[in-house]
Amino acid sequence: MEHYYCCCSSTGRMMQQGGMITTAAARLSAASAASSPRFFCKLAAGVATSSKSLHNLSSSSSISSSSSSSVRCSAASSSAVAEQEVPAASVRPVIRRVGRGSKLVGCGSAVPTTIISNDDLSKVVDTSDEWIAVRTGIRNRHVLAEGETVTSLSVEASKKALEMANVNPEDIDLLLLCTSTPDDLFGSAPQVQKELGCCNALAFDLTAACSGFVLGLITASRFIKGGGYENVLVIGADALSRYVDWMDRGTCILFGDAAGALVLQAVGDDQDSLLGFNLRSDGGGQKHLHVRVDNVPDTSHNGATTNGSKTNGTVIKLPARASYDCLQMNGKEVFRFAVRAVPQVIEAALQEAGLTGANLDWLLLHQANQRILDSVSQRLEIPTDKVISNLCNYGNTSAASIPLALDEAVRSGLVQPGHIVATAGFGAGLTWGSAIVRWS
C-alpha cells in the first residue's frame, strides 16, 4: 500500500490530521508535542493513511487552497493551538506518495561551440590523428569557450529535457547536478536551479566523476520511491578541459566538455523504468586516477609565506592556499579495472532485473575509450551493433557522457520507447556502477 504525506510548505513542515505520525514526529511524546507545538509542527514528517483518510485530509479545513496571503501550519496541544504563518509565495502544497517507480520522460544535451580535433592537438604535442584514433577511437572533442560554463551547459541541456518531458520548471521537486568540475567549489546546482526557474526544487551537487550520472540516476529514483518526490531533474556535466595538462599527450587527447540531462517522473511500480542496478566503489584505486589538491604557499602577507607570517610579533602557521593539480591517470591500470569490473556490475544489475544480455536492446557505457567499449561488449557477448558510441565526436566527457549519448540516440530514433538499455559508469574514486533502464 502506498503511503501518503501532506506537506504544507516547501521547507518540509508537515500537518497532522488524524492517522499515525511517522519518522521523527513518532519519537515525540504527546507531552512534548503539547509543550512545544511549533517544534512539533516543524518536525512532523507526515501522516501515513489510506486513500480514504487522504480524501478526508485534503478536504480538511486545516489546509486552504484559497489564494490567501498566508498558510497556517497548526499543531494541536492539550491547552491551545499554536499557529505558524508561512508566506504564501513560499508555499506549494504537495501530496507525497512513497513506494512508487521512476519513469524516464525526457532528455537533453549541450556541448561547447569550440572543437579541438586530433590534427589541432598534433600541433601542440607529439601526436597524430591516426595515433589517437587507433588507441582511443576519438577524433574530436568540445571544450569550453569564453562565456561558456558548466552551469550554462547544464541549463541548456536541462531546457531540452524539460521540453521533451513536457514538464514546467516550477514542477521540478529535485535537481541533481552530477559534476566533479563545478563553477563554484560550494556547488553549482543552485545556480542551475535559479537559471531554469525551478523555484520549488531542492538542488545540490553529486560528485563521482565519470560514474556520477549513474549514481545520480539511482539517487533520483530513491528520492521518488522513498521521499515521495514527483519530478526529478538529473544533470551530468563536466569540464575536465580545465584540469588537463595540455602538454601531456597521455591525457589531453582524451577529455572534452559537455552536459546531459534526464527527467524522471513518479509512476506506479508496474511502469518503473529502473529495472535493476548495482553500485560499487574502492578507494584503493584512487592512485590510478585523480585530481588532487595542491597546497601552494601564499605570499600575499607582506611578501612572507603564510607558514612564517607574523602577527603582533607572534609567528603563526596559516594554512597554505589550495589549488588543484592537473588530472593524473594511469591509463593501463584504469583500462584493466574497467574491462574487469564493468561486466561484473552489469551482470549483477541484469540479475536483479531478472534479465540476461539477450534481453538488452542497447549497451550504453561511459564513453571513455573505444577499446574499453569493445572489450566489455565482447565479455558480455553483446553484438557491436547494439553498443551506443559517440566517443569519436566528443571524447571522454566524464559525467556527461552517458546522458549525452542517450540524448543523441533517442533524438535520432535509435532508442525507441520500450527499449531496454544497460548503462554503466566507471571512473575516479574508484567508483563504478550499472543501471538497467527501460526508455519510456
Side-chain angles (χ1 to χ4, degrees), residues 4-322:
Y4 296 83
Y5 300 86
C6 181
C7 176
C8 64
S9 168
S10 61
T11 57
R13 301 182 190 87
M14 312 304 292
M15 182 79 71
Q16 181 190 12
Q17 180 68 30
M20 177 178 66
I21 300 171
T22 62
T23 62
R27 303 186 188 99
L28 295 178
S29 65
S32 299
S35 62
S36 183
R38 185 182 296 267
F39 181 66
F40 173 79
C41 178
K42 193 170 184 179
L43 280 186
V47 182
T49 177
S50 65
S51 299
K52 183 177 180 181
S53 299
L54 176 67
H55 176 74
N56 295 336
L57 171 61
S58 63
S59 62
S60 168
S61 59
S62 296
I63 300 180
S64 173
S65 59
S66 63
S67 56
S68 60
S69 60
S70 65
V71 174
R72 297 179 184 272
C73 181
S74 303
S77 72
S78 58
S79 58
V81 175
E83 297 183 339
Q84 180 175 349
E85 292 192 357
V86 181
S90 67
V91 174
R92 188 183 63 153
V94 174
I95 300 297
R96 289 193 173 176
R97 296 185 292 170
V98 302
R100 295 190 292 172
S102 308
K103 188 175 183 180
L104 312 182
V105 294
C107 56
S109 61
V111 295
T113 56
T114 298
I115 300 174
I116 297 180
S117 68
N118 291 346
D119 288 331
D120 293 330
L121 285 177
S122 68
K123 300 173 184 177
V124 180
V125 294
D126 182 18
T127 190
S128 68
D129 175 64
E130 181 182 4
W131 191 90
I132 298 171
V134 168
R135 288 163 176 76
T136 68
I138 302 169
R139 291 195 179 275
N140 295 293
R141 70 281 299 145
H142 294 243
V143 299
L144 293 181
E146 185 177 355
E148 294 176 326
T149 63
V150 168
T151 299
S152 66
L153 291 180
S154 299
V155 169
E156 183 181 347
S158 298
K159 286 180 177 178
K160 295 175 183 177
L162 290 169
E163 181 180 8
M164 179 185 290
N166 195 27
V167 172
N168 295 322
E170 58 268 25
D171 291 327
I172 293 294
D173 305 304
L174 173 66
L175 186 155
L176 294 176
L177 177 58
C178 309
T179 184
S180 297
T181 57
D183 299 319
D184 185 328
L185 183 63
F186 288 169
S188 294
Q191 293 304 307
V192 176
Q193 175 205 28
K194 181 189 73 171
E195 295 296 326
L196 287 173
C198 298
C199 54
N200 294 303
L202 165 66
F204 61 89
D205 288 28
L206 186 155
T207 300
C210 304
S211 306
F213 187 79
V214 171
L215 270 65
L217 178 64
I218 303 306
T219 301
S221 72
R222 301 307 92 181
F223 268 88
I224 289 174
K225 183 173 288 290
Y229 285 62
E230 286 284 336
N231 298 297
V232 180
L233 176 61
V234 185
I235 307 163
D238 267 311
L240 285 173
S241 66
R242 297 189 288 197
Y243 297 90
V244 165
D245 180 357
W246 288 96
M247 296 296 103
D248 175 18
R249 76 169 186 171
T251 55
C252 74
I253 64 174
L254 298 174
F255 297 98
D257 308 333
L262 193 64
V263 177
L264 281 72
Q265 196 165 67
V267 292
D269 253 351
D270 58 336
Q271 301 178 60
D272 199 347
S273 290
L274 180 60
L275 307 179
F277 66 90
N278 190 269
L279 306 175
R280 304 292 297 277
S281 62
D282 177 13
Q286 187 240 16
K287 58 188 176 183
H288 300 310
L289 181 57
H290 56 260
V291 181
R292 289 182 174 144
V293 172
D294 181 21
N295 291 318
V296 180
D298 182 7
T299 59
S300 62
H301 300 271
N302 299 321
T305 63
T306 53
N307 289 336
S309 297
K310 295 183 179 181
T311 302
N312 295 329
T314 302
V315 177
I316 60 174
K317 289 186 177 181
L318 299 177
R321 179 167 295 176

Side-chain angles (χ1 to χ4, degrees), residues 347-361:
E347 288 174 338
L350 283 169
Q351 184 176 10
E352 181 177 273
L355 303 173
T356 68
N359 300 119
L360 295 177
D361 295 293

